[in-house]
């Protein structure tokens, strides 16, 4: 029965990956990259310094450069055609499950709940949840000051839960007013117009958003979580997961990870990691 289940799971994986190709089926994303020379990657399109798409060009940022490095490693250095798809917080799991994308590299933090639906490779870097306020705000200096304040709620993101819920799913268990937004770029607009008191999410996201208008916004520099940014894969694609983990290890060993962090965040004031994070077990 166990062997039969494994065979059925492999067949389901091949059918799903076939949706990304007109003529072939593949047992894993790694195999598709090697044999077809193409891959579809989901990224954010509205996060400066991480992944920002402007005009007709491809997105640019740290996540995009990490994705390119990983794909090239999986292809043994051969050229691969990458198709970029927008992947927001609310639809990342669905895009993987229905085969619209082969992998998601989009400030995608590993959580226990998400692991029920996604196989995570990496993490490739660790971010930390922090808080951003308007530059003239003096009444909010740390995360616990968000009691009874208006904070942003983005569908699919766990950041607001870290504030409003207690452990184990949350962190601080504060009473705050949640103001909905479709993305963190919309949260920034609401903060600037006075519709919010603060935006709280990963420091890399906030640093990218605030760095383009540093006189208007400020980070509290009061991190209180570890957010393990990983590569999201269709549940069960362990072969690609293991290959990505090898690529991530090499990216840190050869200095590429540190160079990319400095390139995209060196001027933001963030304390940048200097060592590779511990790899997630592929499952």
């Amino acid at each position: 029965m166990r062997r039969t289940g494994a065979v059925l799971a492999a067949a389901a994986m091949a059918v799903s990956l076939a949706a990304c190709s007109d003529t072939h089926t593949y047992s894993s994303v790694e195999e598709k990259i090697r044999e077809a020379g193409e891959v579809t990657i989901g990224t954010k399109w509205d996060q400066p310094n991480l992944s920002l798409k402007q005009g007709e060009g491809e997105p640019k940022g740290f996540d995009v450069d990490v994705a390119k490095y990983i794909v090239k490693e999986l292809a043994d250095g051969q050229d691969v055609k990458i198709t970029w798809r927008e992947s927001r917080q609310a639809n990342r799991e669905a895009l993987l499950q229905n085969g619209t994308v082969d992998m998601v590299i989009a400030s995608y933090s590993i959580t226990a709940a998400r692991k029920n639906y996604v196989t995570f490779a990496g993490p490739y870097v660790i971010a930390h949840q922090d808080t951003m306020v308007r530059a003239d705000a003096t009444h909010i200096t740390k995360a616990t000051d968000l009691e009874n304040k208006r904070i942003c709620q983005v569908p699919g993101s766990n950041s607001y839960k870290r504030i409003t819920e207690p452990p184990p799913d949350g962190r601080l268990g504060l009473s705050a007013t949640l103001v909905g937004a479709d993305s963190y770029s919309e949260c920034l607009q609401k903060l600037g117009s006075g519709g919010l008191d603060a935006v709280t999410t990963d420091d890399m996201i906030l640093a990218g958003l605030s760095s383009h208008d540093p006189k208007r916004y400020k980070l509290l520099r009061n991190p209180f979580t570890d957010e393990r940014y990983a590569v999201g894969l269709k549940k069960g694609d362990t072969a690609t997961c293991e290959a990505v983990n090898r690529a991530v290890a090499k990216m840190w060993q050869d200095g590429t990870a540190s160079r990319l962090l400095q390139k995209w965040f060196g001027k933001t004031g963030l304390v940048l990691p200097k060592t590779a994070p511990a790899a997630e077990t592929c499952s």
Side-chain angles (χ1 to χ4, degrees), residues 131-141 188 190-194 196-199 206 209-221:
T131 304
M132 181 170 66
V133 297
R134 289 181 293 278
D136 59 357
T138 58
H139 60 298
I140 302 175
T141 61
L188 182 70
K190 289 178 180 288
L191 179 64
S193 65
L196 290 170
D197 296 305
V199 177
L206 296 177
L209 290 170
S210 63
S211 65
H212 294 265
D213 201 349
K215 294 183 179 180
R216 192 174 185 185
Y217 307 102
K218 65 180 178 181
L219 269 66
L220 298 187
R221 312 291 180 187

Side-chain angles (χ1 to χ4, degrees), residues 79-99:
D79 291 336
V80 175
K81 177 186 176 183
I82 300 177
T83 299
W84 303 97
R85 299 289 187 194
E86 185 176 18
S87 176
R88 297 192 172 201
Q89 278 93 343
N91 67 359
R92 289 176 293 198
E93 288 83 16
L95 292 176
L96 287 168
Q97 290 170 349
N98 65 26

Side-chain angles (χ1 to χ4, degrees), residues 158-239:
N158 287 307
S159 295
Y160 72 93
K161 295 180 182 179
R162 304 281 198 263
I163 302 296
T164 60
E165 297 183 10
D169 296 327
R171 181 62 61 92
L172 302 181
L174 302 178
S175 177
T177 300
L178 300 178
V179 179
D182 289 334
S183 64
Y184 281 107
S185 57
E186 185 179 343
C187 291
L188 182 70
Q189 295 171 4
K190 289 178 180 288
L191 179 64
S193 65
L196 290 170
D197 296 305
V199 177
T200 176
T201 189
D202 308 342
D203 53 4
M204 287 187 164
I205 296 175
L206 296 177
L209 290 170
S210 63
S211 65
H212 294 265
D213 201 349
K215 294 183 179 180
R216 192 174 185 185
Y217 307 102
K218 65 180 178 181
L219 269 66
L220 298 187
R221 312 291 180 187
N222 177 229
F224 58 96
T225 68
D226 289 339
E227 304 296 333
R228 298 173 295 158
Y229 282 6
V231 178
L233 301 164
K234 186 176 177 64
K235 184 68 174 176
D237 191 355
T238 56

Side-chain angles (χ1 to χ4, degrees), residues 53-98:
K53 188 176 186 299
Q54 296 178 304
E56 297 300 319
E58 66 180 27
K60 295 182 179 180
F62 177 73
D63 277 354
V64 176
D65 286 350
V66 167
K68 290 178 178 179
Y69 182 98
I70 289 172
V71 168
K72 192 160 189 174
E73 284 299 310
L74 267 57
D76 289 331
Q78 300 301 309
D79 291 336
V80 175
K81 177 186 176 183
I82 300 177
T83 299
W84 303 97
R85 299 289 187 194
E86 185 176 18
S87 176
R88 297 192 172 201
Q89 278 93 343
N91 67 359
R92 289 176 293 198
E93 288 83 16
L95 292 176
L96 287 168
Q97 290 170 349
N98 65 26

Side-chain angles (χ1 to χ4, degrees), residues 5-59:
V7 170
L8 291 174
M13 176 71 69
V15 170
S16 174
L17 293 175
C20 299
S21 176
D22 294 333
T23 57
H24 297 282
T25 60
Y26 302 97
S27 63
S28 68
V29 171
E30 179 192 25
E31 183 179 272
K32 178 183 176 181
I33 290 172
R34 290 176 181 272
E35 294 191 6
E38 62 182 20
V39 66
T40 302
I41 299 178
T43 64
K44 304 284 184 58
W45 285 8
D46 65 343
Q47 292 185 346
N49 298 41
L50 277 167
S51 184
L52 179 67
K53 188 176 186 299
Q54 296 178 304
E56 297 300 319
E58 66 180 27

